[in-house]
């Protein structure tokens, strides 16, 4: 049987670069480090660490074992935190991430339901790259994420992704804009339009707009930039440009705006919840159920408007 201490020793040698330094980091004597390494190598019948005058490095087999060792140790760390939390507070804690437009309408009601079921929530809000980074670093148990045309999710097999909601990306324009008379607006009609975009040119909405306009053979011209969707609506209503806005971010559109879907491509982002597979099964299922219930309510409300 593998001993957790064997895996800790392998990871520490990889991090510290020598057996002596690994011993200091783990508060083990060097003979203890040597003993655990020898037991690990005997278990696999292979040399996992290469020792030399300048320290120690992992062999190719050691490098192959390292990510598995790290995954096991991380899962044990999370299990310990969860069980200690249950013992101390009688409650579970989920570390959840959300992007701003999903926080209020999608996540907040789900959090209320989870609280009633004894689950504590630690919340991180940020844009998609921050959330994906938090998931990959195992700092988040779950996060609301999305994919869109030309910009797909990139998560490995350590995660499971549950679809929740299709969030249309709609065109917002002044009420007197020539295209406001149309039920659906061809993107090709906006070749000469000025756009109100995000403060960061690499924002997902700007990326999908650039991707869609490229299908029509042009690049969008940005006249203004802001990350506040209320400001976006104000700027568009003032006639400074048009904007691509997620339906979730529109709320109740201003009366002096015209909001229309595009003809082609039909743009939308697919919102999902991504979870580490190591997340407590009961807490994960409660989160998924709460989010799916709220997503269904939102979709039904949109279909009635």
């Amino acid at each position: 049987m593998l001993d957790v201490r064997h895996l800790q020793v392998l990871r520490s040698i990889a991090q510290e670069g020598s057996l002596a330094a690994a011993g200091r980091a783990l508060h083990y004597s060097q003979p203890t480090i040597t003993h655990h390494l020898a037991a690990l190598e005997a278990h696999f019948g292979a040399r996992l660490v290469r020792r030399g005058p300048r320290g120690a490095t992992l062999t190719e087999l050691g490098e192959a074992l390292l990510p598995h060792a790290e995954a096991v140790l991380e899962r044990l760390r999370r299990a310990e935190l969860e069980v200690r939390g249950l013992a101390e507070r009688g409650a579970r804690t989920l570390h959840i991430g959300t992007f701003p437009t999903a926080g209020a309408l999608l996540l907040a009601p789900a959090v209320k339901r989870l609280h009633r079921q004894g689950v504590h929530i630690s919340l991180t809000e940020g844009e998609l790259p921050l959330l994906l980074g938090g998931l990959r670093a195992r700092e988040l148990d779950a996060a609301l994420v999305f994919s869109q045309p030309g910009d797909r999710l990139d998560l490995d097999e350590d995660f499971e992704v549950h679809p929740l909601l299709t969030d249309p990306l709609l065109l917002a324009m002044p009420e007197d804009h020539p295209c406001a008379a149309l039920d659906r607006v061809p993107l090709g009609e906006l070749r000469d339009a000025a756009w109100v975009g995000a403060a960061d040119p690499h924002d997902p909405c700007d990326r999908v707009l650039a991707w869609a306009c490229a299908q029509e053979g042009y690049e969008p011209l940005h006249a203004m930039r802001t990350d506040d969707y209320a400001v976006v609506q104000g700027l568009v209503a003032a006639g400074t440009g048009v904007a691509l806005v997620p339906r979730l971010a529109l709320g109740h559109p201003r009366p002096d705006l015209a909001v229309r879907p595009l003809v082609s491509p039909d743009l939308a982002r697919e919102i999902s919840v991504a979870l580490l597979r190591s997340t407590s099964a009961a807490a994960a299922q409660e989160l998924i159920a709460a989010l799916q219930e709220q997503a269904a309510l939102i979709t039904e409300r949109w279909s009635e408007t």
Side-chain angles (χ1 to χ4, degrees), residues 10 37 40-41 44 46-50 57-59 61-62 65:
L10 182 75
L37 176 59
L40 185 62
E41 291 183 326
F44 286 102
R47 190 179 180 189
L48 302 175
V49 174
R50 187 182 300 108
T57 58
L58 300 191
T59 65
L61 293 176
L65 177 59

Side-chain angles (χ1 to χ4, degrees), residues 139-249:
E139 295 166 354
L140 297 174
D141 299 307
L144 289 170
V145 295
F146 61 87
S147 61
Q148 58 189 20
D151 201 358
R152 312 310 297 176
L153 279 177
D154 180 23
L155 289 170
D156 61 32
E157 65 276 4
D158 288 342
F159 299 90
E160 53 185 59
V161 179
H162 297 266
L164 297 173
L165 180 70
T166 297
D167 186 17
L169 300 175
L170 303 174
L171 176 68
M173 53 193 161
E175 60 180 345
D176 59 355
H177 191 281
C179 291
L182 303 175
D183 291 332
R184 299 174 67 87
V185 179
L187 193 56
E189 293 292 319
L190 302 168
R191 184 178 301 271
D192 298 322
W195 291 85
V196 179
D200 180 358
H202 300 291
D203 177 86
C205 259
D206 277 12
R207 287 203 307 271
V208 75
L209 176 63
W211 174 87
C213 290
Q215 313 307 302
E216 299 292 328
Y218 70 94
E219 293 183 13
L221 171 67
H222 286 88
M224 297 274 187
R225 291 190 175 277
T226 176
D227 283 335
D228 188 322
Y229 279 113
V231 176
V232 168
Q233 291 194 41
L235 291 172
V236 170
T240 60
V242 300
L244 194 64
V245 182
R247 179 69 181 85
L248 268 181

